[in-house]
Amino acid sequence: MEAGAPRPGTPVRGSESGRPVMAVLDLLGRRWTMRILWELSQAPAGFRELQRRCERMSSSVLSTRLDELTGSRLVASHDDGYRLTRLGEDLVEALGPLNAWSRRWAGEMGSGTAER
């Protein structure tokens, strides 16, 4: 299923129906996708700068993820590098409650990482 970005309405990992929530969870579950979104939510970045911020990411994986994220209209390329689109910004904002819940969950699990 890694051939191209997941799209609502088409089968994705975990869902033959291609429900939109399953398509976005498939996309977000791909290696490095969340990190790229996080880094671009902080500031736009060119390819090399984004690769530097995402230590240890190969250029081929970064290129693939950027293609998927631009194809999903979450990231766009501009003169100053890559940046989140309005849809991408909305997604990062929508993940805020999940982040809060995950910290609560970590505390309940006694993992000691609830503050991260």
Side-chain angles (χ1 to χ4, degrees):
M1 192 84 255
E2 292 266 340
R7 299 184 63 85
T10 61
V12 296
R13 283 186 302 174
S15 174
E16 288 299 314
S17 69
R19 289 187 177 128
V21 70
M22 295 304 290
V24 77
L25 288 174
D26 183 354
L27 179 62
L28 294 177
R30 292 178 178 203
R31 191 171 35 134
W32 292 105
T33 298
M34 291 290 292
R35 178 67 183 267
I36 293 167
L37 291 172
W38 167 254
E39 292 297 340
L40 293 177
S41 75
Q42 303 305 297
F47 188 91
R48 293 281 179 224
E49 172 61 16
L50 191 53
Q51 188 177 26
R52 186 192 65 74
R53 289 191 212 165
C54 299
E55 65 270 357
R56 299 183 319 271
M57 187 188 330
S58 72
S59 59
S60 63
V61 170
L62 178 56
S63 180
T64 298
R65 293 300 170 256
L66 287 171
D67 286 347
E68 292 170 349
L69 291 167
T70 55
S72 298
R73 299 183 185 158
L74 300 175
V75 170
S77 179
H78 292 274
D79 292 340
D80 60 348
Y82 292 93
R83 61 176 51 221
L84 294 178
T85 62
R86 182 67 191 142
L87 196 59
E89 291 170 351
D90 290 347
L91 173 59
V92 170
E93 185 178 327
L95 292 171
L98 180 60
N99 184 37
W101 177 87
S102 69
R103 287 193 309 272
R104 205 170 68 244
W105 177 54
E108 290 284 329
M109 298 299 290
S111 71
T113 59
E115 296 302 314
R116 292 184 187 170

